[in-house]
Amino acid sequence: MADEVSGWKMENYNLYNIREEILRMADDSYREFQKKLLPGTENFIGVRLPHLRRLAKRIAKEDGKAYLKASLEKESKEELFEEIMLQGMVIGYMKGDISDIFSYTEKFVPKIDNWSVCDSFCSGFKHALEYPEKVWEWLEGFWSSEEEFKARFGIVMLLDYYINDKYIKELFPIFESIRQGNYYVDMAIAWAISICYIRYPKLCMGFLRESRLNDFTYHKSLQKIVESRCVSAEEKERIRKMRRK
């Protein structure tokens, strides 16, 4: 495994060269670890995220637009897991007009087919901190989608950036409005609700008591609240008693 990304100049780059860089960072032991976390995903070679982030930062700084123009046009079935992850990281590090960022993201999100790429992309999408209102309005097209990972992207973005005083009361109706029945969507909603409880316990408790969530999502929400180290033993006992019969 390479500890550093070897040098290359963006004016001479192509996607083949970038793949070669990624291949040199492969770690077989990490790949075995990933297999346990991502059952059903086979297109990864085992590159640790800090190595990809360093490469993404350099691409974004040197010529991110050229890289994204070339890479986002490729079919995901032709790409390594790490190549898709890298594209998302570059979008996160890009500077410029938010409309351009939206355009890149709208081309990228259809490539997401697992929770790892989705959640990593969301955590790096700091544009939401700079343009919270614009991103909020734009996200509705994602969380309302019937496509599993498109919806999960929207939900995890809400979780990462909008569980705050300004938006908390708007989140609960959104969670109920999202089409449930897809595992990774329901788990994202449950995860988001558990964070809502940690930050706004009274508001979230009121929501849970009247919730119209399906049984799976509701019970997973309770489970994640109980699993949190931020919730007291007394609260956890009260939450356990809220299970539906």
Side-chain angles (χ1 to χ4, degrees):
M1 179 187 69
D3 290 327
E4 297 182 355
V5 178
S6 59
W8 47 267
K9 296 295 184 181
M10 284 303 293
E11 58 265 25
N12 299 320
Y13 96 97
N14 59 45
L15 297 183
Y16 174 80
N17 291 342
I18 293 175
R19 174 172 285 198
E20 288 297 302
E21 297 291 345
I22 292 171
L23 290 172
R24 283 195 283 271
M25 294 187 282
D27 182 335
D28 289 341
S29 63
Y30 187 62
R31 185 177 190 277
E32 291 304 309
F33 172 71
Q34 283 182 300
K35 281 184 178 180
K36 299 174 184 177
L37 296 178
L38 296 167
T41 301
E42 301 292 339
N43 62 331
F44 51 80
I45 59 172
V47 178
R48 296 177 186 272
L49 295 186
H51 299 309
L52 288 176
R53 290 192 186 102
R54 284 199 292 272
L55 178 56
K57 284 181 181 178
R58 199 164 85 201
I59 292 172
K61 181 179 179 181
E62 294 183 2
D63 200 346
K65 289 183 178 180
Y67 166 75
L68 290 172
K69 183 178 186 299
S71 62
L72 291 175
E73 291 177 355
K74 288 197 69 177
E75 293 286 339
S76 58
K77 63 184 179 182
E78 301 173 355
E79 297 175 300
L80 297 172
F81 168 91
E82 288 82 1
E83 289 175 310
I84 297 172
M85 183 73 83
L86 181 67
Q87 291 164 28
M89 290 177 175
V90 172
I91 293 171
Y93 289 127
M94 287 292 288
K95 305 295 183 183
D97 193 286
I98 190 62
S99 63
D100 292 334
I101 304 300
F102 289 163
S103 179
Y104 297 141
T105 303
E106 287 160 9
K107 294 176 181 176
F108 174 74
V109 169
K111 295 189 176 192
I112 299 174
D113 64 359
N114 63 78
W115 66 265
S116 181
V117 169
C118 178
D119 298 1
S120 176
F121 179 53
C122 292
S123 68
F125 199 91
K126 304 303 183 184
H127 309 289
L129 299 176
E130 187 175 0
Y131 302 98
E133 293 183 4
K134 289 183 178 180
V135 173
W136 169 270
E137 294 172 1
W138 169 74
L139 282 174
E140 183 175 1
F142 292 95
W143 74 59
S144 62
S145 174
E146 294 190 1
E147 297 176 37
E148 186 169 19
F149 284 101
K150 190 173 181 180
R152 183 181 174 93
F153 165 70
I155 298 162
V156 177
M157 284 293 293
L158 296 180
L159 183 163
D160 283 344
Y161 301 105
Y162 294 97
I163 301 179
N164 55 43
D165 290 353
K166 181 174 181 178
Y167 292 99
I168 182 62
K169 291 183 179 179
E170 297 185 55
L171 294 179
F172 299 127
I174 290 171
F175 296 151
E176 287 193 319
S177 73
I178 294 168
R179 180 178 178 273
Q180 296 166 53
N182 287 321
Y183 178 80
Y184 289 104
V185 170
D186 294 353
M187 289 297 289
I189 294 171
W191 178 21
I193 289 170
S194 72
I195 303 302
C196 288
Y197 182 87
I198 291 166
R199 297 181 188 173
Y200 298 92
K202 290 184 179 180
L203 285 174
C204 191
M205 180 63 80
F207 165 71
L208 288 169
R209 291 187 192 283
E210 304 296 329
S211 168
R212 293 179 282 111
L213 297 169
N214 66 23
D215 287 348
F216 176 85
T217 308
Y218 176 78
H219 288 129
K220 280 295 179 183
S221 300
L222 301 186
Q223 178 185 328
K224 287 185 172 294
I225 293 169
V226 169
E227 289 173 349
S228 173
R229 295 181 180 179
C230 299
V231 178
S232 70
E234 182 181 354
E235 289 177 284
K236 289 180 180 182
E237 187 58 32
R238 184 164 63 248
I239 292 294
R240 289 189 183 99
K241 293 177 180 179
M242 294 177 64
R243 287 187 60 85
R244 294 170 180 166
K245 304 299 183 183

